[in-house]
Amino acid sequence: MKLAGYDQLIFYGRSPKPVYLWIDNDRVELRDAAHLWGKTNRETNKLLWKELGDREVRVLSIGPAGENLVRLAKVFTNITRSGGKGGMGAVMGSKNLKAVAVRGTGSIKIARPAEFLKLNKRVYDRLMASPATRGTMETGSLRLMRTGKYGNLTTRNAQSGWFEGWEKVNAEAFHSHPSIKNKHKGCSACPVSCDHYYQVTEGLYACYGESNEYGTTYPLSSRCGVDNLPAVLKMHSMCDQLGLDTHSTGATISFAMHCWQEGLLTAKDTDGLDLSWGNADAMIELLPRIAYRQGFGNLLAEGSFRASQEIKGSEICLRTTKGMEVSALYLGPGTSWVHGLAYATATRGADHLRGFGTSVMALPRLREILGSEATEVMMNWRDSYRSIEGKGVALALNQDDVALCNSLELCNRVTGEAGYNLDELAELLYTTTGVEMSANDLMKIGERIFNVEKAFNVREGMGRKDDTLPPVFFVEKKDSGMNEAKFQEMLDGYYRFRGWDHEGIPTRQKLEELGLSYIAEQIGAAEAVAAL
């Protein structure tokens, strides 16, 4: 898009028939997509490449799940790269928009190219010298499956953190399995290059795809009790083609399996499918039923939150915040308190990619506020989970720098300890655009973004009651202080540091400070809150 000359596309309304948008530099047109409707993402890309006569055309598309308004649907670029949780695929489907195809042959002007190259060479050298970067290059986020040996891997719908089959589905298994071939790859221009193509070469689970990551593996393996890696890759490939988000789809299926375990669902309810833990073949049958809203799949297509409202007594099996399935690490013994606070306060619902508690980038600011000693404790995970002290401050700063990096469209694998720090991000912005900003200016932008998102939620009726976790995570366990009283105390500290009132509503003072005074009237902002 940028090479074609565009920064953003906004689609208003709904087309009366399926269409796709074709952008060929200055030429922009909506075209009939009747021949693409019902096709998988892979089929859609291939048909558009042939129709447009150019395999270099880049395509954003939805699969059948998006067309059928499945709430677990997401959008895909170049077949397998995707924008995940939240149901954006269903939004495109509701507009009858099948795809956006772009060819751009222009260029991008850099304000200060010599300084730009010097900065990036410095960061590149540091990244390449880092052992952490080398590890990421070899395994990507799949390395996180190793948390299984510490009892911190979401297992059987987060009933446990211990998955006995973790070694069968981790990065080492991926690289050594006799029926799995893989090849290293990376995103365009990225030096970290942490991705892989894969192919399961034989058997019932023969398939191929790319971007097997932690977020495409644990939801379909440990979370559902499956330790068969070829079967997990098959399901991942199917989700990519059908247009389903692996995080929410795996979480919703694990919710159904938990209901089966509790006797809340039977074969009569599931169209004969046996949803016992570990039954990968049943899951493979279920995926297209979800994407096409067939039978029992139609219920799960609504996501676990809405499905729970139709399954009597299933609240005990629900793992959602603000209606969004809780993803990523198991919130249990040994997990930092701040991880739980991050899930609870994420503006779009439980989300490990909108802030996860602590941030290397925000360390200088955190030291200013908490002091060096307290900050070091905060960054040591072995000590961090034992206390709630300072957690709200650390999380708020982390959420702000994540919002900033998202607005700069930077992957989190090139920021932090070995990558760009805040001062270098300011330098990057200046050398690229000519706009001068300090590190503090950038953090203020991140804070402004997060407050706008929060204000949107407040306007829509959300408040403190929604900044919480599923009750199961408040059951205190050995070596864990996870109880609701301490959580509420930590939430109070987070709100105070944010400049929000007791109900989590940004105050008029905070909004004016951020240049957002026009929002105050819309959300009924209070005047002020007590100091931190």
mmCIF file of all heavy atoms in Angstrom, residues 78-101:
data_model
loop_
_atom_site.group_PDB
_atom_site.id
_atom_site.type_symbol
_atom_site.label_atom_id
_atom_site.label_comp_id
_atom_site.label_asym_id
_atom_site.label_seq_id
_atom_site.Cartn_x
_atom_site.Cartn_y
_atom_site.Cartn_z
ATOM 1 N N ASN A 78 -1.251 -12.254 2.297
ATOM 2 C CA ASN A 78 -0.319 -13.186 1.647
ATOM 3 C C ASN A 78 -0.482 -14.608 2.179
ATOM 4 O O ASN A 78 0.476 -15.281 2.522
ATOM 5 C CB ASN A 78 1.117 -12.705 1.801
ATOM 6 C CG ASN A 78 1.284 -11.287 1.307
ATOM 7 O OD1 ASN A 78 0.662 -10.896 0.324
ATOM 8 N ND2 ASN A 78 2.085 -10.495 1.997
ATOM 9 N N ILE A 79 -1.712 -15.022 2.288
ATOM 10 C CA ILE A 79 -2.156 -16.385 2.593
ATOM 11 C C ILE A 79 -2.108 -16.733 4.079
ATOM 12 O O ILE A 79 -3.070 -17.251 4.632
ATOM 13 C CB ILE A 79 -1.363 -17.448 1.791
ATOM 14 C CG1 ILE A 79 -1.483 -17.163 0.289
ATOM 15 C CG2 ILE A 79 -1.879 -18.844 2.099
ATOM 16 C CD1 ILE A 79 -0.703 -18.121 -0.591
ATOM 17 N N THR A 80 -0.987 -16.476 4.766
ATOM 18 C CA THR A 80 -0.875 -16.987 6.130
ATOM 19 C C THR A 80 -0.568 -15.933 7.189
ATOM 20 O O THR A 80 -0.689 -16.216 8.374
ATOM 21 C CB THR A 80 0.217 -18.074 6.226
ATOM 22 O OG1 THR A 80 1.476 -17.504 5.892
ATOM 23 C CG2 THR A 80 -0.080 -19.242 5.306
ATOM 24 N N ARG A 81 -0.146 -14.753 6.784
ATOM 25 C CA ARG A 81 0.089 -13.707 7.781
ATOM 26 C C ARG A 81 -1.270 -13.132 8.170
ATOM 27 O O ARG A 81 -2.132 -12.945 7.303
ATOM 28 C CB ARG A 81 0.981 -12.595 7.227
ATOM 29 C CG ARG A 81 2.249 -13.095 6.592
ATOM 30 C CD ARG A 81 3.088 -13.946 7.528
ATOM 31 N NE ARG A 81 3.563 -13.193 8.679
ATOM 32 C CZ ARG A 81 4.347 -13.700 9.622
ATOM 33 N NH1 ARG A 81 4.723 -14.953 9.569
ATOM 34 N NH2 ARG A 81 4.739 -12.938 10.629
ATOM 35 N N SER A 82 -1.467 -12.818 9.432
ATOM 36 C CA SER A 82 -2.843 -12.503 9.825
ATOM 37 C C SER A 82 -2.931 -11.457 10.924
ATOM 38 O O SER A 82 -2.000 -11.249 11.686
ATOM 39 C CB SER A 82 -3.544 -13.783 10.288
ATOM 40 O OG SER A 82 -2.838 -14.385 11.350
ATOM 41 N N GLY A 83 -4.085 -10.795 10.945
ATOM 42 C CA GLY A 83 -4.453 -9.904 12.036
ATOM 43 C C GLY A 83 -5.511 -10.618 12.852
ATOM 44 O O GLY A 83 -6.611 -10.866 12.364
ATOM 45 N N GLY A 84 -5.181 -10.947 14.092
ATOM 46 C CA GLY A 84 -5.887 -12.005 14.801
ATOM 47 C C GLY A 84 -7.157 -11.681 15.534
ATOM 48 O O GLY A 84 -8.174 -11.364 14.943
ATOM 49 N N LYS A 85 -7.112 -11.733 16.853
ATOM 50 C CA LYS A 85 -8.316 -11.781 17.681
ATOM 51 C C LYS A 85 -9.218 -10.562 17.473
ATOM 52 O O LYS A 85 -8.752 -9.478 17.161
ATOM 53 C CB LYS A 85 -7.911 -11.880 19.148
ATOM 54 C CG LYS A 85 -7.088 -13.102 19.473
ATOM 55 C CD LYS A 85 -6.523 -13.039 20.866
ATOM 56 C CE LYS A 85 -7.581 -13.204 21.933
ATOM 57 N NZ LYS A 85 -6.987 -13.233 23.295
ATOM 58 N N GLY A 86 -10.503 -10.768 17.690
ATOM 59 C CA GLY A 86 -11.436 -9.655 17.650
ATOM 60 C C GLY A 86 -12.473 -9.723 16.558
ATOM 61 O O GLY A 86 -13.385 -8.900 16.511
ATOM 62 N N GLY A 87 -12.357 -10.671 15.636
ATOM 63 C CA GLY A 87 -13.405 -10.869 14.645
ATOM 64 C C GLY A 87 -13.382 -9.935 13.447
ATOM 65 O O GLY A 87 -14.415 -9.717 12.799
ATOM 66 N N MET A 88 -12.198 -9.387 13.093
ATOM 67 C CA MET A 88 -12.146 -8.473 11.958
ATOM 68 C C MET A 88 -12.519 -9.148 10.645
ATOM 69 O O MET A 88 -13.004 -8.496 9.718
ATOM 70 C CB MET A 88 -10.753 -7.859 11.850
ATOM 71 C CG MET A 88 -10.462 -6.799 12.900
ATOM 72 S SD MET A 88 -11.666 -5.441 12.908
ATOM 73 C CE MET A 88 -11.406 -4.766 11.277
ATOM 74 N N GLY A 89 -12.301 -10.450 10.552
ATOM 75 C CA GLY A 89 -12.722 -11.171 9.343
ATOM 76 C C GLY A 89 -14.227 -11.102 9.155
ATOM 77 O O GLY A 89 -14.726 -10.970 8.027
ATOM 78 N N ALA A 90 -14.972 -11.168 10.270
ATOM 79 C CA ALA A 90 -16.430 -11.069 10.194
ATOM 80 C C ALA A 90 -16.865 -9.658 9.805
ATOM 81 O O ALA A 90 -17.882 -9.479 9.121
ATOM 82 C CB ALA A 90 -17.060 -11.459 11.533
ATOM 83 N N VAL A 91 -16.093 -8.641 10.222
ATOM 84 C CA VAL A 91 -16.410 -7.264 9.831
ATOM 85 C C VAL A 91 -16.281 -7.114 8.311
ATOM 86 O O VAL A 91 -17.155 -6.549 7.646
ATOM 87 C CB VAL A 91 -15.493 -6.253 10.553
ATOM 88 C CG1 VAL A 91 -15.747 -4.841 10.042
ATOM 89 C CG2 VAL A 91 -15.716 -6.321 12.056
ATOM 90 N N MET A 92 -15.191 -7.658 7.749
ATOM 91 C CA MET A 92 -15.052 -7.615 6.287
ATOM 92 C C MET A 92 -16.181 -8.391 5.615
ATOM 93 O O MET A 92 -16.752 -7.942 4.613
ATOM 94 C CB MET A 92 -13.692 -8.178 5.870
ATOM 95 C CG MET A 92 -12.557 -7.179 5.975
ATOM 96 S SD MET A 92 -10.969 -7.814 5.346
ATOM 97 C CE MET A 92 -11.329 -8.033 3.604
ATOM 98 N N GLY A 93 -16.511 -9.547 6.170
ATOM 99 C CA GLY A 93 -17.590 -10.350 5.593
ATOM 100 C C GLY A 93 -18.917 -9.627 5.626
ATOM 101 O O GLY A 93 -19.725 -9.722 4.685
ATOM 102 N N SER A 94 -19.164 -8.869 6.701
ATOM 103 C CA SER A 94 -20.426 -8.146 6.815
ATOM 104 C C SER A 94 -20.547 -7.061 5.755
ATOM 105 O O SER A 94 -21.648 -6.616 5.424
ATOM 106 C CB SER A 94 -20.552 -7.520 8.214
ATOM 107 O OG SER A 94 -19.691 -6.407 8.351
ATOM 108 N N LYS A 95 -19.426 -6.610 5.211
ATOM 109 C CA LYS A 95 -19.421 -5.592 4.168
ATOM 110 C C LYS A 95 -19.389 -6.209 2.763
ATOM 111 O O LYS A 95 -19.322 -5.484 1.765
ATOM 112 C CB LYS A 95 -18.197 -4.682 4.342
ATOM 113 C CG LYS A 95 -18.238 -3.832 5.603
ATOM 114 C CD LYS A 95 -16.974 -3.008 5.765
ATOM 115 C CE LYS A 95 -17.106 -2.058 6.951
ATOM 116 N NZ LYS A 95 -18.100 -0.998 6.727
ATOM 117 N N ASN A 96 -19.420 -7.558 2.694
ATOM 118 C CA ASN A 96 -19.287 -8.263 1.416
ATOM 119 C C ASN A 96 -17.952 -7.947 0.743
ATOM 120 O O ASN A 96 -17.852 -7.951 -0.488
ATOM 121 C CB ASN A 96 -20.448 -7.952 0.469
ATOM 122 C CG ASN A 96 -21.602 -8.920 0.652
ATOM 123 O OD1 ASN A 96 -21.419 -10.056 1.087
ATOM 124 N ND2 ASN A 96 -22.808 -8.466 0.330
ATOM 125 N N LEU A 97 -16.946 -7.668 1.556
ATOM 126 C CA LEU A 97 -15.605 -7.367 1.044
ATOM 127 C C LEU A 97 -14.727 -8.606 1.188
ATOM 128 O O LEU A 97 -14.345 -8.973 2.288
ATOM 129 C CB LEU A 97 -15.007 -6.189 1.820
ATOM 130 C CG LEU A 97 -13.599 -5.757 1.428
ATOM 131 C CD1 LEU A 97 -13.549 -5.254 -0.009
ATOM 132 C CD2 LEU A 97 -13.094 -4.674 2.397
ATOM 133 N N LYS A 98 -14.442 -9.254 0.093
ATOM 134 C CA LYS A 98 -13.677 -10.501 0.120
ATOM 135 C C LYS A 98 -12.183 -10.259 0.249
ATOM 136 O O LYS A 98 -11.483 -10.997 0.945
ATOM 137 C CB LYS A 98 -13.951 -11.309 -1.156
ATOM 138 C CG LYS A 98 -13.146 -12.599 -1.286
ATOM 139 C CD LYS A 98 -13.477 -13.617 -0.197
ATOM 140 C CE LYS A 98 -12.725 -14.921 -0.419
ATOM 141 N NZ LYS A 98 -13.034 -15.921 0.631
ATOM 142 N N ALA A 99 -11.680 -9.233 -0.437
ATOM 143 C CA ALA A 99 -10.227 -9.065 -0.470
ATOM 144 C C ALA A 99 -9.848 -7.647 -0.883
ATOM 145 O O ALA A 99 -10.653 -6.890 -1.430
ATOM 146 C CB ALA A 99 -9.599 -10.070 -1.439
ATOM 147 N N VAL A 100 -8.591 -7.314 -0.607
ATOM 148 C CA VAL A 100 -7.948 -6.110 -1.125
ATOM 149 C C VAL A 100 -6.656 -6.571 -1.791
ATOM 150 O O VAL A 100 -5.842 -7.248 -1.162
ATOM 151 C CB VAL A 100 -7.628 -5.102 -0.008
ATOM 152 C CG1 VAL A 100 -6.893 -3.891 -0.583
ATOM 153 C CG2 VAL A 100 -8.886 -4.673 0.716
ATOM 154 N N ALA A 101 -6.501 -6.242 -3.066
ATOM 155 C CA ALA A 101 -5.295 -6.619 -3.806
ATOM 156 C C ALA A 101 -4.551 -5.353 -4.201
ATOM 157 O O ALA A 101 -5.154 -4.398 -4.692
ATOM 158 C CB ALA A 101 -5.667 -7.425 -5.043
#
